[in-house]
Amino acid sequence: MRLFIFFLFSITFIKAQPNVVFFLVDDLGYMDIGAYNDTTFYETPNIDKLAKTGVKFTNGYAANPVCSPTRYSIMTGKYPSRVDATNWFSGTRSGKFKSAPLHSNMPLKEVTLAEALKEGGYKTAFLGKWHLGPTPEFWPENQGFDINIGGHNRGSPPGGYFSPYKNPRLENLKDGEYLTDRLAGEAIKIIDKFHSKEEPFLVYLSFYNVHTPLQAPRKIVEKYKVKAKSITGKEFGTEEQVWPGAKERKVRILQKHPTYAAMVEKMDDAVGKVLSRLNELGIEEETIICFTSDNGGLSTSEGSPTSNLPLRGGKGWIYEGGIREPFIIKYPSMFKPSISDVPVISTDFYPTILDLAGVEAKPNQHLDGTSLVPLLKSPQGKIKRDYIFWHYPHYSNQGGFPGGAIRSGNYKLIERYEDGRTHLFDLNKDPGESNDIANLNKDLVNSMSEKLHSWYKKVDAKFLQPKGENLNPWRP
């Protein structure tokens, strides 16, 4: 009888599998969020609270300076270079040379994060921007998601942010509704549905905000027009003016774009609504909440709506402004709020979530990700990794040059693929990458270059292609 009572007691206190809510924002800059920039023009109270009550990573990175490759890295735990998914699908702009070969879909053979969680008993839902395959066979419902709302191959919202949208995965549209509100409302309905059936779930809310076209409700735009009047100073400069020795490309140096600000607010409001629903249902404590962006803020083209200063560059650049991101993980019942300065990257979400969910790891799948649980447990925690890499063998739409990069400790080395030139920066002293110290540290440049070149071979990285007679690009 005592054994039976003990058995019942044990069952009662078995910890249920945590839910997972993943927020991915499109084109959101590191300096756009109050938690990372206390002088930001934008208002992000819900994300700021999430950062304050979770684990905030100050050196969090996207695996690529543009969207599709980073999205691939989150879904697979792999560097996108392993399958030549190294640019937005399907970006093949050429410059002095032709871009590297580009594979424009996430192969169906990949075991995605959603598929891994499904194997572990989870229900899964995807909402919003997908951009990981050109045809329906590559859309979320064929990549591990039970529900797909709004996910297809377009990078920006077809038809804009106000209905009627031209989206094959959105139905029953209401005139004039705002896309971000709609996606948040749908996410809440799905959470209610899964919770009512007592099923652990992954809800992956991938906002189209704050990608162009720049559109937001007029009332909120007007609010920021008034706020912008109090901010004086030059809105734009050139790279040459901001960073000596750079080219004369227009770059935004002051945050004050009213419509962009309104789009940031609507996104933050949507995050707040979803988090409030988790709290109302009493399941926030047992929910893993992740928040990040797919690349840096748009600062050097297409209207240049935001500034990433003091970080250099933005979307489409392998400078910090293009790859350093807001990066937050919260799991209230397991981890106390903290701040970690350890460099982490988007490939790490996959193994971290499996680890926290009690789902068996897939080391042959998430080859390039590392579980961040030691860092979640303690700011002094350590992970087994010495280097983080980037590989972007393309000419970006935003003016970024083809190149690779490696970060080791506080040092970051950048290698240009047109001619092989290298630059070295101490990010601890120079987060804006304005002081190239390569000539003063030749031994370090050589050792980091060797590590980067070894990694190229490991992931079978592809490079620029010849263009014109006898015009061959540099090769490592």
Side-chain angles (χ1 to χ4, degrees):
M1 181 67 178
R2 289 181 180 176
L3 182 61
F4 179 69
I5 292 174
F6 176 77
F7 178 72
L8 289 178
F9 181 85
S10 299
I11 290 177
T12 302
F13 286 90
I14 288 176
K15 189 177 180 65
Q17 285 182 292
N19 303 305
V20 183
V21 173
F22 198 109
F23 296 107
L24 179 61
V25 189
D26 196 5
D27 289 0
L28 184 73
Y30 183 91
M31 301 302 291
D32 291 346
I33 301 298
Y36 290 87
N37 175 17
D38 58 11
T39 63
T40 183
F41 176 66
Y42 318 119
E43 298 175 15
T44 55
N46 295 299
I47 300 168
D48 296 347
K49 182 179 178 182
L50 178 64
K52 188 176 182 179
T53 56
V55 179
K56 182 178 79 169
F57 292 88
T58 61
N59 287 289
Y61 288 97
N64 192 277
V66 295
C67 59
S68 299
T70 298
R71 292 164 187 272
Y72 168 87
S73 74
I74 296 171
M75 280 291 159
T76 66
K78 292 180 180 179
Y79 282 116
S81 301
R82 288 187 180 273
V83 295
D84 302 330
T86 46
N87 203 11
W88 61 274
F89 299 168
S90 303
T92 56
R93 175 192 292 267
S94 64
K96 182 177 181 181
F97 302 102
K98 293 180 180 178
S99 71
L102 177 66
H103 188 77
S104 289
N105 66 60
M106 181 169 67
L108 295 175
K109 66 181 181 181
E110 301 285 7
V111 180
T112 66
L113 172 62
E115 288 169 325
L117 288 175
K118 277 177 68 69
E119 290 176 10
Y122 278 71
K123 299 296 288 185
T124 58
F126 181 90
L127 303 98
K129 176 176 172 177
W130 180 244
H131 209 187
L132 283 171
T135 54
E137 66 181 299
F138 296 105
W139 291 358
E141 56 267 45
N142 294 315
Q143 299 275 22
F145 289 95
D146 298 311
I147 299 172
N148 171 20
I149 296 179
H152 58 121
N153 192 47
R154 287 294 297 272
S156 57
Y161 283 92
F162 292 95
S163 66
Y165 325 107
K166 298 176 182 178
N167 189 313
R169 287 296 180 269
L170 278 174
E171 301 175 347
N172 303 317
L173 306 181
K174 297 179 181 178
D175 288 341
E177 70 178 352
Y178 192 64
L179 179 58
T180 312
D181 293 334
R182 170 66 184 271
L183 292 175
E186 294 287 351
I188 289 170
K189 290 178 185 177
I190 291 169
I191 289 171
D192 288 346
K193 177 182 176 181
F194 288 161
H195 175 64
S196 68
K197 295 182 180 180
E198 298 184 348
E199 297 172 316
F201 59 79
L202 164 66
V203 171
Y204 194 105
L205 179 48
S206 177
F207 294 107
Y208 284 96
N209 290 50
V210 286
H211 197 289
T212 55
L214 300 178
Q215 298 174 350
R218 183 178 300 175
K219 184 176 181 180
I220 305 177
V221 174
E222 292 299 321
K223 164 189 162 181
Y224 284 102
K225 284 183 178 179
V226 173
K227 185 176 181 178
K229 291 179 181 179
S230 64
I231 299 176
T232 58
K234 192 175 180 181
E235 287 187 57
F236 294 94
T238 66
E239 281 191 272
E240 187 177 41
Q241 293 169 335
V242 181
W243 298 286
K247 295 180 180 180
E248 293 188 9
R249 170 172 279 269
K250 181 179 177 182
V251 58
R252 177 174 283 274
I253 59 177
L254 190 64
Q255 292 180 344
K256 62 180 296 184
H257 194 297
T259 305
Y260 185 85
M263 294 178 74
V264 172
E265 178 173 319
K266 290 300 291 181
M267 178 275 298
D268 179 81
D269 182 56
V271 169
K273 289 177 181 177
V274 173
L275 295 181
S276 293
R277 189 57 180 158
L278 296 175
N279 184 265
E280 291 165 2
L281 294 173
I283 58 175
E284 182 184 15
E285 287 290 311
E286 293 303 331
T287 299
I288 302 162
I289 302 164
C290 302
F291 180 94
T292 195
S293 174
D294 59 352
N295 51 249
L298 182 58
S299 63
T300 60
S301 72
E302 301 161 64
S304 304
T306 194
S307 172
N308 301 306
L309 292 181
L311 303 183
R312 184 171 184 172
K315 178 180 180 179
W317 298 77
I318 55 175
Y319 291 123
E320 293 292 284
I323 54 178
R324 193 184 292 201
E325 312 300 335
F327 198 113
I328 304 165
I329 300 176
K330 179 179 177 179
Y331 187 1
S333 71
M334 290 290 288
F335 308 116
K336 296 179 181 179
S338 65
I339 298 174
S340 175
D341 297 324
V342 176
V344 296
I345 193 166
S346 50
T347 55
D348 296 334
F349 282 113
Y350 192 137
T352 301
I353 291 171
L354 293 193
D355 197 351
L356 296 176
V359 174
E360 185 176 357
K362 292 185 175 296
N364 293 327
Q365 171 59 51
H366 48 75
L367 291 169
D368 303 308
T370 298
S371 174
L372 303 179
V373 169
L375 303 180
L376 296 172
K377 288 181 177 179
S378 169
Q380 287 73 46
K382 297 184 182 298
I383 55 176
K384 295 180 179 180
R385 180 171 58 205
D386 297 320
Y387 305 95
I388 289 177
F389 304 94
W390 293 268
H391 173 57
Y392 187 63
H394 303 279
Y395 295 89
S396 82
N397 290 354
Q398 297 77 30
F401 56 83
I406 175 175
R407 176 163 179 174
S408 175
N410 292 327
Y411 292 99
K412 178 181 171 188
L413 179 135
I414 291 177
E415 184 168 68
R416 293 174 177 260
Y417 291 159
E418 287 186 330
D419 54 20
R421 280 184 296 151
T422 55
H423 311 281
L424 182 68
F425 303 101
D426 182 344
L427 297 179
N428 188 43
K429 298 177 181 178
D430 179 29
E433 297 169 290
S434 60
N435 182 27
D436 184 357
I437 58 174
N439 289 335
L440 302 176
N441 297 271
K442 292 186 178 180
D443 288 344
L444 182 57
V445 168
N446 289 336
S447 65
M448 292 181 71
S449 294
E450 287 177 5
K451 290 290 184 182
L452 181 57
H453 294 178
S454 177
W455 176 78
Y456 291 152
K457 294 178 181 178
K458 181 179 179 181
V459 298
D460 192 24
K462 306 299 191 301
F463 293 88
L464 299 176
Q465 303 297 302
K467 182 180 179 182
E469 284 190 28
N470 302 318
L471 188 57
N472 291 306
W474 169 86
R475 286 285 188 275

